[in-house]
Amino acid sequence: MPDERSELHEAFVDAYPEYVARTLTARGIEVDEVVADAIVEGTAVLDALLTTLDATPTLEQRTSPLELFREALRPVDRALALTGAPEARDVPPAQAGWDRYGLAPGSS
C-alpha cells in the first residue's frame, strides 16, 4: 500500500466539496445542513475509494478515478431526495437512474 496519496487522489478529494457546492448552487439548490453532511460523507467515501485504487496495481484496476468520483456523489443524491430538491431535467439517459440531480461530471 502506498505511503502517500497520489496527486490525482489529493486533487479529486480537494475538489469534491467545492465541485458539489458549485454544481448545486448553479442548479439553484440550497446547501442546507443535511446536504452539507452528505458532502462531508461523499468526500470521505471518495477518499476511501481512491485509497483503495492507489493501493491496487495499475494493471488490476477496473475503475477510473472519475467513476469513483461519480460513485461518491450518491450520498449527496440521497440527501437531495430527502430534502425534496427538484430533480434535474437535463440528465442524459445514460446517467439517469441514481443521478437524479445531474451531479456527476461527464466523461473525458
Side-chain angles (χ1 to χ4, degrees):
M1 182 173 238
D3 290 338
E4 297 181 23
R5 296 174 172 184
S6 66
E7 287 181 33
L8 187 112
H9 181 147
E10 289 286 342
F12 271 44
V13 171
D14 289 347
Y16 179 94
E18 183 179 335
Y19 168 82
V20 175
R22 188 177 62 243
T23 301
L24 294 176
T25 299
R27 294 198 174 274
I29 298 172
E30 180 184 347
V31 178
D32 63 11
E33 190 173 320
V34 172
V35 175
D37 285 347
I39 292 171
V40 171
E41 179 185 352
T43 303
V45 167
L46 179 61
D47 188 29
L49 291 170
L50 290 173
T51 296
T52 300
L53 186 68
D54 283 344
T56 304
T58 304
L59 294 176
E60 295 176 22
Q61 293 177 6
R62 299 293 175 249
T63 57
S64 73
L66 187 56
E67 288 173 302
L68 299 178
F69 191 95
R70 289 184 188 132
E71 185 65 27
L73 292 167
R74 287 180 186 262
V76 178
D77 186 84
R78 283 191 304 270
L80 293 172
L82 285 172
T83 61
E87 294 183 11
R89 296 181 184 166
D90 58 348
V91 177
Q95 215 173 293
W98 72 263
D99 188 19
R100 299 165 284 199
Y101 301 93
L103 300 175
S107 64
S108 56

XYZ file of all heavy atoms in Angstrom:
820
model
N 0.846 -1.180 0.000
C 0.000 0.000 0.000
C 0.887 1.238 0.000
O 1.832 1.336 0.772
C -0.902 -0.024 1.219
C -1.858 1.141 1.297
S -3.014 0.933 2.661
C -4.512 1.013 1.748
N 0.593 2.205 -0.852
C 1.427 3.401 -0.907
C 1.373 4.162 0.421
O 0.354 4.190 1.097
C 0.794 4.241 -2.014
C -0.143 3.351 -2.739
C -0.478 2.234 -1.820
N 2.514 4.767 0.762
C 2.572 5.562 1.986
C 1.864 6.892 1.815
O 1.382 7.476 2.778
C 4.025 5.820 2.386
C 4.709 4.539 2.867
O 3.990 3.603 3.276
O 5.938 4.488 2.818
N 1.818 7.391 0.583
C 1.225 8.695 0.323
C 0.130 8.571 -0.733
O 0.136 7.674 -1.556
C 2.300 9.659 -0.179
C 3.389 9.932 0.835
C 4.416 10.912 0.302
O 4.086 11.688 -0.607
O 5.547 10.890 0.798
N -0.758 9.528 -0.679
C -1.804 9.592 -1.705
C -1.186 10.050 -3.020
O -0.247 10.834 -3.027
C -2.848 10.626 -1.317
C -3.600 10.343 -0.089
C -4.465 11.544 0.174
N -5.390 11.342 1.247
C -6.285 12.246 1.594
N -6.362 13.395 0.961
N -7.104 12.007 2.579
N -1.779 9.591 -4.116
C -1.334 10.078 -5.414
C -1.765 11.546 -5.554
O -2.657 12.016 -4.847
C -1.944 9.235 -6.539
O -3.353 9.420 -6.577
N -1.126 12.246 -6.465
C -1.504 13.646 -6.717
C -2.948 13.727 -7.193
O -3.691 14.632 -6.813
C -0.574 14.274 -7.749
C 0.813 14.565 -7.216
C 1.698 15.214 -8.259
O 1.190 15.988 -9.103
O 2.911 14.946 -8.233
N -3.343 12.769 -8.010
C -4.718 12.745 -8.508
C -5.702 12.542 -7.355
O -6.738 13.190 -7.287
C -4.876 11.634 -9.545
C -6.226 11.662 -10.215
C -6.078 12.039 -11.672
C -6.884 10.321 -10.076
N -5.355 11.656 -6.440
C -6.168 11.403 -5.247
C -6.370 12.710 -4.484
O -7.500 13.085 -4.166
C -5.445 10.360 -4.396
C -6.150 9.957 -3.138
N -6.057 8.694 -2.647
C -6.924 10.631 -2.247
C -6.755 8.593 -1.530
N -7.283 9.767 -1.263
N -5.286 13.385 -4.203
C -5.354 14.669 -3.483
C -6.220 15.676 -4.231
O -7.072 16.339 -3.631
C -3.947 15.255 -3.297
C -3.095 14.520 -2.309
C -3.489 14.770 -0.865
O -4.202 15.759 -0.572
O -3.082 13.961 -0.021
N -6.008 15.775 -5.530
C -6.755 16.759 -6.325
C -8.249 16.462 -6.323
O -9.066 17.374 -6.167
C -6.214 16.783 -7.756
N -8.616 15.201 -6.482
C -10.034 14.839 -6.506
C -10.701 15.079 -5.160
O -11.806 15.622 -5.092
C -10.204 13.378 -6.934
C -10.336 13.181 -8.416
C -9.524 13.847 -9.313
C -11.264 12.296 -8.919
C -9.641 13.661 -10.679
C -11.396 12.094 -10.286
C -10.584 12.780 -11.163
N -10.058 14.661 -4.078
C -10.634 14.842 -2.741
C -10.743 16.329 -2.409
O -11.749 16.773 -1.847
C -9.829 14.064 -1.677
C -10.278 14.415 -0.266
C -9.969 12.555 -1.916
N -9.731 17.101 -2.776
C -9.778 18.546 -2.521
C -10.868 19.230 -3.339
O -11.526 20.155 -2.865
C -8.426 19.203 -2.841
C -7.343 18.852 -1.836
O -7.676 18.313 -0.753
O -6.159 19.096 -2.130
N -11.076 18.778 -4.568
C -12.041 19.421 -5.463
C -13.489 19.029 -5.179
O -14.413 19.790 -5.488
C -11.703 19.079 -6.917
N -13.706 17.864 -4.599
C -15.051 17.320 -4.427
C -16.025 18.284 -3.743
O -17.090 18.582 -4.304
C -14.974 15.980 -3.690
C -16.307 15.326 -3.443
C -16.816 14.396 -4.329
C -17.068 15.637 -2.317
C -18.045 13.779 -4.109
C -18.289 15.035 -2.088
C -18.776 14.117 -2.982
O -19.991 13.534 -2.765
N -15.741 18.767 -2.530
C -16.740 19.620 -1.857
C -17.072 20.890 -2.639
O -18.234 21.281 -2.749
C -16.095 19.971 -0.517
C -14.959 19.043 -0.344
C -14.556 18.575 -1.711
N -16.054 21.506 -3.205
C -16.281 22.729 -3.980
C -17.085 22.428 -5.243
O -17.998 23.175 -5.602
C -14.952 23.390 -4.342
C -15.135 24.696 -5.075
C -13.826 25.371 -5.426
O -12.816 25.130 -4.751
O -13.832 26.156 -6.397
N -16.745 21.343 -5.914
C -17.480 20.951 -7.123
C -18.954 20.746 -6.803
O -19.833 21.249 -7.507
C -16.880 19.666 -7.721
C -17.769 19.064 -8.788
C -17.750 19.549 -10.087
C -18.677 18.050 -8.475
C -18.594 19.025 -11.058
C -19.530 17.524 -9.436
C -19.485 18.019 -10.724
O -20.329 17.514 -11.678
N -19.244 19.991 -5.749
C -20.635 19.702 -5.397
C -21.367 20.982 -5.033
O -22.466 21.248 -5.539
C -20.724 18.667 -4.257
C -22.166 18.471 -3.817
C -20.114 17.339 -4.686
N -20.770 21.802 -4.185
C -21.424 23.050 -3.765
C -21.671 23.968 -4.968
O -22.748 24.554 -5.101
C -20.582 23.756 -2.711
N -20.691 24.081 -5.842
C -20.828 24.933 -7.030
C -21.921 24.401 -7.960
O -22.732 25.165 -8.480
C -19.486 25.035 -7.757
C -19.478 26.042 -8.884
C -18.109 26.186 -9.536
N -17.691 24.929 -10.132
C -16.621 24.234 -9.757
N -15.854 24.667 -8.790
N -16.310 23.111 -10.354
N -21.959 23.091 -8.149
C -22.968 22.479 -9.015
C -24.366 22.689 -8.449
O -25.302 23.039 -9.187
C -22.675 20.976 -9.210
O -21.373 20.837 -9.795
C -23.706 20.321 -10.110
N -24.526 22.501 -7.154
C -25.830 22.691 -6.527
C -26.267 24.146 -6.610
O -27.422 24.445 -6.915
C -25.804 22.217 -5.072
C -25.603 20.718 -4.884
C -25.495 20.383 -3.405
C -26.717 19.924 -5.546
N -25.352 25.052 -6.344
C -25.669 26.484 -6.426
C -26.093 26.854 -7.840
O -27.067 27.583 -8.032
C -24.456 27.326 -5.988
O -24.144 26.990 -4.623
C -24.737 28.803 -6.087
N -25.397 26.325 -8.837
C -25.749 26.599 -10.234
C -27.145 26.074 -10.564
O -27.835 26.621 -11.426
C -24.716 25.982 -11.172
N -27.565 25.032 -9.892
C -28.902 24.454 -10.109
C -29.957 25.087 -9.204
O -31.111 24.676 -9.217
C -28.867 22.953 -9.879
C -28.026 22.236 -10.907
C -28.368 20.769 -10.924
N -27.668 20.088 -11.994
C -28.107 20.010 -13.249
N -29.218 20.574 -13.602
N -27.406 19.362 -14.151
N -29.536 26.075 -8.401
C -30.484 26.753 -7.528
C -30.892 25.942 -6.315
O -31.953 26.167 -5.733
N -30.048 25.000 -5.911
C -30.345 24.141 -4.763
C -29.522 24.622 -3.574
O -28.297 24.742 -3.652
C -30.023 22.667 -5.073
C -30.899 22.176 -6.235
C -30.214 21.800 -3.832
C -30.538 20.795 -6.744
N -30.216 24.867 -2.471
C -29.558 25.343 -1.253
C -28.772 24.209 -0.595
O -29.237 23.075 -0.517
C -30.607 25.863 -0.275
C -30.016 26.377 1.017
C -31.082 26.800 2.009
O -32.254 26.927 1.615
O -30.728 26.984 3.181
N -27.596 24.548 -0.104
C -26.788 23.586 0.639
C -27.133 23.772 2.118
O -26.546 24.589 2.804
C -25.277 23.780 0.384
C -24.458 22.802 1.217
C -24.963 23.612 -1.091
N -28.132 23.001 2.569
C -28.531 23.078 3.971
C -27.687 22.097 4.787
O -26.740 21.491 4.271
C -30.031 22.809 4.127
C -30.447 21.415 3.689
O -29.576 20.550 3.456
O -31.667 21.180 3.584
N -28.028 21.932 6.046
C -27.245 21.073 6.932
C -27.233 19.616 6.472
O -26.197 18.947 6.518
C -27.798 21.164 8.355
C -26.917 20.497 9.388
C -27.413 20.748 10.796
O -27.852 21.869 11.089
O -27.357 19.795 11.591
N -28.359 19.114 6.008
C -28.447 17.721 5.549
C -27.548 17.516 4.330
O -26.784 16.547 4.252
C -29.911 17.344 5.215
C -29.992 15.975 4.547
C -30.770 17.387 6.464
N -27.614 18.435 3.390
C -26.800 18.325 2.176
C -25.323 18.522 2.515
O -24.459 17.806 1.991
C -27.277 19.325 1.103
C -26.363 19.315 -0.109
C -28.714 19.000 0.688
N -25.018 19.457 3.399
C -23.621 19.674 3.809
C -23.044 18.409 4.448
O -21.898 18.036 4.163
C -23.528 20.854 4.762
N -23.830 17.748 5.293
C -23.371 16.488 5.892
C -23.131 15.428 4.826
O -22.182 14.647 4.910
C -24.391 15.972 6.913
C -24.380 16.753 8.219
O -23.442 17.542 8.452
O -25.335 16.572 9.016
N -23.986 15.400 3.815
C -23.819 14.435 2.723
C -22.557 14.740 1.914
O -21.895 13.811 1.431
C -25.047 14.441 1.822
N -22.232 16.011 1.777
C -20.990 16.370 1.069
C -19.786 15.881 1.864
O -18.832 15.337 1.291
C -20.924 17.892 0.816
C -22.007 18.304 -0.190
C -19.537 18.302 0.324
C -22.179 19.812 -0.349
N -19.827 16.025 3.178
C -18.742 15.516 4.023
C -18.649 13.995 3.887
O -17.559 13.442 3.744
C -18.956 15.939 5.497
C -17.967 15.231 6.417
C -18.837 17.447 5.637
N -19.798 13.327 3.918
C -19.818 11.875 3.756
C -19.268 11.468 2.389
O -18.465 10.541 2.282
C -21.244 11.338 3.917
C -21.342 9.839 3.748
C -22.766 9.311 3.795
O -23.699 10.070 4.105
O -22.945 8.113 3.501
N -19.700 12.161 1.346
C -19.224 11.853 -0.001
C -17.723 12.057 -0.144
O -17.043 11.279 -0.817
N -17.205 13.078 0.517
C -15.755 13.321 0.491
C -15.018 12.150 1.131
O -14.002 11.677 0.610
C -15.412 14.639 1.211
O -16.126 15.711 0.595
C -13.926 14.933 1.149
N -15.543 11.662 2.258
C -14.926 10.513 2.934
C -15.020 9.256 2.073
O -14.063 8.467 2.012
C -15.582 10.290 4.287
N -16.155 9.061 1.420
C -16.325 7.907 0.522
C -15.298 7.988 -0.605
O -14.613 7.004 -0.914
C -17.759 7.848 -0.052
C -17.858 6.869 -1.207
C -18.754 7.500 1.049
N -15.173 9.156 -1.218
C -14.217 9.324 -2.309
C -12.792 9.054 -1.832
O -12.030 8.360 -2.507
C -14.324 10.733 -2.904
C -13.356 11.042 -4.038
C -13.578 10.101 -5.222
C -13.507 12.496 -4.465
N -12.442 9.581 -0.674
C -11.104 9.370 -0.122
C -10.832 7.875 0.058
O -9.777 7.372 -0.341
C -10.977 10.116 1.202
C -9.565 10.106 1.754
O -8.597 10.034 0.975
O -9.430 10.195 2.999
N -11.800 7.148 0.614
C -11.618 5.713 0.831
C -11.511 4.951 -0.493
O -10.647 4.069 -0.644
C -12.772 5.164 1.666
N -12.365 5.288 -1.441
C -12.324 4.617 -2.739
C -10.997 4.858 -3.456
O -10.409 3.939 -4.041
C -13.486 5.080 -3.621
C -14.883 4.641 -3.195
C -15.939 5.368 -4.023
C -15.039 3.136 -3.309
N -10.510 6.089 -3.392
C -9.239 6.407 -4.052
C -8.054 5.803 -3.310
O -7.047 5.456 -3.934
C -9.086 7.924 -4.199
C -10.031 8.566 -5.213
C -9.929 10.091 -5.153
C -9.763 8.066 -6.625
N -8.169 5.651 -2.003
C -7.111 4.979 -1.238
C -6.985 3.535 -1.711
O -5.880 3.033 -1.920
C -7.410 5.041 0.272
O -7.390 6.415 0.683
C -6.390 4.256 1.083
N -8.120 2.886 -1.891
C -8.114 1.519 -2.403
C -7.543 1.470 -3.815
O -6.733 0.589 -4.151
C -9.537 0.929 -2.381
O -10.009 0.936 -1.035
C -9.573 -0.484 -2.938
N -7.940 2.421 -4.652
C -7.415 2.464 -6.019
C -5.906 2.674 -6.022
O -5.189 2.006 -6.768
C -8.108 3.573 -6.818
C -7.745 3.635 -8.299
C -8.280 2.413 -9.039
C -8.306 4.914 -8.925
N -5.420 3.581 -5.171
C -3.975 3.827 -5.093
C -3.211 2.564 -4.692
O -2.078 2.354 -5.118
C -3.658 4.931 -4.074
C -3.937 6.331 -4.590
O -4.083 6.513 -5.815
O -4.002 7.263 -3.753
N -3.837 1.718 -3.877
C -3.189 0.502 -3.395
C -3.281 -0.655 -4.392
O -2.638 -1.680 -4.202
C -3.802 0.081 -2.067
N -4.073 -0.483 -5.436
C -4.273 -1.538 -6.430
C -3.274 -1.362 -7.571
O -3.174 -0.266 -8.135
C -5.713 -1.477 -6.992
O -6.631 -1.558 -5.900
C -5.970 -2.596 -7.973
N -2.545 -2.412 -7.918
C -1.621 -2.301 -9.055
C -2.368 -1.835 -10.310
O -3.512 -2.245 -10.550
C -1.081 -3.723 -9.227
C -1.256 -4.353 -7.876
C -2.497 -3.741 -7.314
N -1.733 -1.009 -11.083
C -2.359 -0.396 -12.249
C -3.044 -1.406 -13.164
O -4.178 -1.189 -13.588
C -1.318 0.411 -13.050
O -0.720 1.369 -12.181
C -1.948 1.129 -14.223
N -2.399 -2.502 -13.454
C -2.980 -3.488 -14.369
C -4.186 -4.213 -13.780
O -4.943 -4.854 -14.508
C -1.924 -4.494 -14.809
C -0.800 -3.919 -15.676
C 0.239 -4.989 -15.982
C -1.350 -3.319 -16.959
N -4.395 -4.107 -12.481
C -5.532 -4.752 -11.828
C -6.694 -3.797 -11.566
O -7.750 -4.219 -11.096
C -5.085 -5.387 -10.512
C -4.098 -6.525 -10.708
C -3.586 -7.084 -9.402
O -4.260 -6.916 -8.362
O -2.501 -7.682 -9.416
N -6.497 -2.524 -11.871
C -7.557 -1.539 -11.634
C -8.685 -1.722 -12.644
O -8.445 -1.849 -13.834
C -6.987 -0.121 -11.720
C -6.020 0.177 -10.610
C -5.394 1.558 -10.715
O -5.768 2.366 -11.575
N -4.439 1.845 -9.854
N -9.911 -1.743 -12.154
C -11.074 -1.949 -13.015
C -12.001 -0.736 -13.056
O -13.023 -0.763 -13.734
C -11.873 -3.176 -12.554
C -11.075 -4.460 -12.596
C -10.735 -4.841 -14.034
N -9.874 -6.012 -14.096
C -8.605 -5.989 -14.478
N -8.032 -4.870 -14.836
N -7.903 -7.098 -14.513
N -11.661 0.298 -12.311
C -12.446 1.537 -12.320
C -11.494 2.714 -12.459
O -10.330 2.637 -12.090
C -13.263 1.711 -11.021
O -12.372 1.669 -9.914
C -14.315 0.636 -10.873
N -12.029 3.789 -12.984
C -11.225 5.006 -13.128
C -11.501 5.941 -11.956
O -12.550 5.834 -11.306
C -11.570 5.706 -14.443
O -12.851 6.306 -14.343
N -10.616 6.874 -11.701
C -10.870 7.851 -10.647
C -12.166 8.637 -10.883
O -12.884 8.946 -9.933
C -9.643 8.763 -10.702
C -8.560 7.886 -11.246
C -9.261 7.009 -12.247
N -12.487 8.926 -12.134
C -13.719 9.657 -12.425
C -14.953 8.820 -12.076
O -15.937 9.341 -11.550
C -13.768 10.098 -13.885
C -14.922 11.005 -14.284
C -14.967 12.260 -13.415
C -14.805 11.386 -15.742
N -14.893 7.524 -12.331
C -16.002 6.645 -11.932
C -16.175 6.653 -10.413
O -17.302 6.657 -9.905
C -15.757 5.215 -12.409
C -15.909 5.026 -13.898
C -15.498 3.638 -14.334
O -14.340 3.241 -14.093
O -16.355 2.949 -14.929
N -15.071 6.684 -9.690
C -15.133 6.714 -8.232
C -15.670 8.054 -7.742
O -16.425 8.110 -6.760
C -13.758 6.419 -7.637
C -13.182 5.041 -7.994
C -11.801 4.865 -7.396
C -14.117 3.927 -7.589
N -15.307 9.132 -8.420
C -15.828 10.457 -8.085
C -17.350 10.442 -8.221
O -18.074 10.916 -7.342
C -15.209 11.510 -9.008
C -15.475 12.928 -8.596
C -14.558 13.607 -7.823
C -16.627 13.594 -9.004
C -14.785 14.931 -7.446
C -16.868 14.901 -8.635
C -15.937 15.572 -7.855
N -17.823 9.882 -9.324
C -19.269 9.786 -9.545
C -19.937 8.952 -8.458
O -20.995 9.301 -7.948
C -19.555 9.173 -10.912
C -19.227 10.071 -12.058
C -19.632 9.395 -13.362
N -19.172 10.151 -14.489
C -18.542 9.633 -15.520
N -18.314 8.340 -15.586
N -18.155 10.397 -16.508
N -19.331 7.830 -8.118
C -19.886 6.949 -7.087
C -19.996 7.684 -5.748
O -20.963 7.505 -5.009
C -18.996 5.707 -6.934
C -19.531 4.667 -5.999
C -20.829 4.025 -6.455
O -21.097 3.963 -7.665
O -21.580 3.569 -5.569
N -19.034 8.523 -5.454
C -19.024 9.262 -4.187
C -20.112 10.339 -4.135
O -20.352 10.923 -3.070
C -17.645 9.883 -3.962
N -20.778 10.592 -5.246
C -21.873 11.573 -5.266
C -23.192 10.984 -4.776
O -24.152 11.713 -4.538
C -22.042 12.137 -6.679
C -20.891 13.016 -7.159
C -20.997 13.249 -8.655
C -20.865 14.326 -6.398
N -23.253 9.684 -4.603
C -24.502 9.045 -4.170
C -25.041 9.570 -2.842
O -26.251 9.763 -2.716
C -24.338 7.530 -4.130
C -24.301 6.910 -5.514
C -24.132 5.389 -5.412
N -23.956 4.795 -6.712
C -24.932 4.226 -7.415
N -26.153 4.181 -6.949
N -24.673 3.690 -8.594
N -24.203 9.808 -1.826
C -24.757 10.346 -0.578
C -25.437 11.704 -0.779
O -26.461 11.997 -0.157
C -23.544 10.474 0.347
C -22.552 9.503 -0.183
C -22.773 9.486 -1.680
N -24.887 12.514 -1.661
C -25.486 13.829 -1.933
C -26.806 13.652 -2.663
O -27.804 14.313 -2.345
C -24.512 14.732 -2.727
C -25.151 16.070 -3.040
C -23.209 14.916 -1.960
N -26.842 12.738 -3.629
C -28.078 12.454 -4.354
C -29.178 12.022 -3.379
O -30.310 12.503 -3.451
C -27.815 11.368 -5.402
C -29.012 11.123 -6.304
O -29.171 11.862 -7.288
O -29.781 10.190 -6.003
N -28.829 11.137 -2.448
C -29.816 10.669 -1.456
C -30.286 11.821 -0.567
O -31.475 11.933 -0.265
C -29.226 9.552 -0.603
C -29.184 8.221 -1.305
C -28.853 7.077 -0.367
N -27.604 7.261 0.367
C -26.413 6.864 -0.055
N -26.293 6.258 -1.210
N -25.346 7.061 0.681
N -29.368 12.673 -0.141
C -29.734 13.807 0.714
C -30.659 14.765 -0.024
O -31.614 15.287 0.561
C -28.476 14.536 1.191
N -30.385 14.995 -1.287
C -31.244 15.888 -2.070
C -32.650 15.313 -2.193
O -33.635 16.047 -2.117
C -30.635 16.136 -3.453
C -29.335 16.939 -3.452
C -28.723 16.958 -4.840
C -29.556 18.348 -2.935
N -32.737 14.001 -2.359
C -34.052 13.360 -2.428
C -34.784 13.513 -1.092
O -35.987 13.787 -1.065
C -33.899 11.886 -2.796
N -34.061 13.365 0.000
C -34.661 13.505 1.332
C -35.176 14.919 1.582
O -36.193 15.106 2.253
C -33.652 13.148 2.422
C -33.356 11.672 2.611
C -32.192 11.480 3.576
C -34.589 10.943 3.132
N -34.471 15.900 1.056
C -34.865 17.290 1.286
C -35.884 17.782 0.264
O -36.346 18.914 0.362
C -33.639 18.231 1.275
O -33.002 18.170 -0.005
C -32.651 17.867 2.370
N -36.211 16.944 -0.725
C -37.211 17.322 -1.713
C -36.715 18.286 -2.773
O -37.503 19.008 -3.387
N -35.418 18.284 -3.022
C -34.857 19.164 -4.051
C -35.411 18.777 -5.424
O -35.666 17.597 -5.692
C -33.333 19.060 -4.063
N -35.600 19.761 -6.298
C -36.107 19.452 -7.645
C -35.059 18.694 -8.459
O -33.889 19.058 -8.456
C -36.383 20.826 -8.252
C -35.503 21.769 -7.492
C -35.357 21.194 -6.116
N -35.504 17.647 -9.129
C -34.592 16.858 -9.956
C -34.204 17.639 -11.212
O -34.961 18.478 -11.682
C -35.243 15.534 -10.336
C -35.477 14.631 -9.140
C -36.049 13.282 -9.512
O -36.080 12.930 -10.703
O -36.469 12.565 -8.578
N -33.032 17.334 -11.734
C -32.556 17.990 -12.952
C -33.355 17.490 -14.143
O -33.767 16.337 -14.192
C -31.071 17.694 -13.155
N -33.550 18.354 -15.087
C -34.292 17.975 -16.298
C -33.376 17.615 -17.448
O -33.809 17.067 -18.441
C -35.191 19.128 -16.724
C -36.233 19.395 -15.687
C -37.141 20.492 -16.071
N -38.018 20.697 -14.921
C -38.784 21.720 -14.750
N -38.825 22.649 -15.648
N -39.525 21.828 -13.683
N -32.102 17.952 -17.304
C -31.165 17.769 -18.413
C -30.172 16.628 -18.179
O -29.072 16.649 -18.688
C -30.406 19.064 -18.664
C -29.642 19.553 -17.435
O -29.865 19.020 -16.324
O -28.829 20.478 -17.580
N -30.569 15.618 -17.417
C -29.687 14.485 -17.163
C -29.721 13.556 -18.367
O -30.792 13.102 -18.771
C -30.112 13.721 -15.880
C -29.229 12.513 -15.660
C -30.065 14.639 -14.679
N -28.543 13.269 -18.969
C -28.509 12.363 -20.117
C -29.039 10.978 -19.734
O -28.852 10.537 -18.597
C -27.016 12.283 -20.468
C -26.378 13.432 -19.782
C -27.231 13.769 -18.611
N -29.689 10.280 -20.665
C -30.260 8.960 -20.368
C -29.253 7.976 -19.775
O -29.588 7.216 -18.886
C -30.761 8.471 -21.728
C -30.960 9.704 -22.530
C -29.957 10.699 -22.030
N -28.014 8.011 -20.250
C -27.001 7.094 -19.732
C -26.691 7.368 -18.264
O -26.197 6.504 -17.556
C -25.726 7.200 -20.562
N -26.967 8.558 -17.808
C -26.676 8.961 -16.441
C -27.909 8.842 -15.550
O -27.812 8.926 -14.334
C -26.221 10.428 -16.468
C -25.178 10.804 -15.479
C -24.710 12.202 -15.746
O -24.092 12.469 -16.764
N -25.004 13.098 -14.845
N -29.067 8.690 -16.162
C -30.308 8.605 -15.390
C -30.242 7.403 -14.460
O -29.439 6.516 -14.624
C -31.493 8.498 -16.337
N -31.111 7.364 -13.525
C -31.079 6.299 -12.518
C -30.818 6.937 -11.181
O -31.632 7.705 -10.690
N -29.667 6.676 -10.619
C -29.379 7.244 -9.307
C -29.040 8.727 -9.370
O -29.243 9.448 -8.398
C -28.265 6.478 -8.598
C -26.903 6.702 -9.176
C -26.259 5.917 -10.071
C -26.027 7.791 -8.895
N -25.046 6.450 -10.382
C -24.874 7.601 -9.667
C -26.093 8.904 -8.082
C -23.804 8.488 -9.651
C -25.033 9.792 -8.060
C -23.895 9.576 -8.843
N -28.516 9.239 -10.458
C -28.085 10.642 -10.540
C -29.236 11.533 -11.000
O -29.205 12.119 -12.073
C -26.881 10.778 -11.472
C -26.268 12.172 -11.440
O -26.524 12.919 -10.473
O -25.540 12.515 -12.382
N -30.231 11.639 -10.157
C -31.440 12.401 -10.488
C -31.215 13.902 -10.537
O -32.032 14.644 -11.054
C -32.522 12.106 -9.457
C -32.911 10.648 -9.421
C -33.670 10.369 -8.174
N -32.711 10.322 -7.070
C -32.946 9.756 -5.901
N -34.116 9.218 -5.668
N -32.037 9.721 -4.964
N -30.091 14.348 -10.003
C -29.838 15.785 -9.896
C -28.732 16.269 -10.827
O -28.330 17.411 -10.760
C -29.544 16.136 -8.428
C -30.707 15.741 -7.570
C -30.758 14.507 -6.946
C -31.803 16.574 -7.461
C -31.853 14.115 -6.198
C -32.923 16.196 -6.726
C -32.932 14.970 -6.105
O -34.044 14.591 -5.393
N -28.258 15.394 -11.692
C -27.235 15.779 -12.662
C -25.933 16.216 -12.030
O -25.283 17.134 -12.512
N -25.551 15.554 -10.963
C -24.322 15.927 -10.247
C -23.069 15.384 -10.887
O -22.015 16.007 -10.837
C -24.388 15.426 -8.795
C -25.522 15.947 -7.942
C -25.508 15.262 -6.587
C -25.431 17.451 -7.791
N -23.153 14.200 -11.470
C -21.961 13.528 -11.972
C -21.383 14.265 -13.186
O -22.096 14.588 -14.123
C -22.292 12.087 -12.359
N -20.074 14.508 -13.135
C -19.442 15.149 -14.303
C -19.424 14.186 -15.470
O -19.417 12.964 -15.285
C -18.015 15.450 -13.812
C -17.783 14.508 -12.681
C -19.127 14.217 -12.078
N -19.414 14.725 -16.672
C -19.335 13.899 -17.873
C -17.983 13.220 -17.969
O -17.045 13.561 -17.256
N -17.893 12.257 -18.831
C -16.619 11.551 -19.001
C -15.674 12.373 -19.844
O -16.076 13.308 -20.537
C -16.858 10.184 -19.624
O -17.385 10.330 -20.918
N -14.434 11.978 -19.789
C -13.414 12.705 -20.557
C -13.465 12.311 -22.011
O -14.035 11.335 -22.402
C -12.032 12.413 -19.997
O -11.797 11.031 -19.980
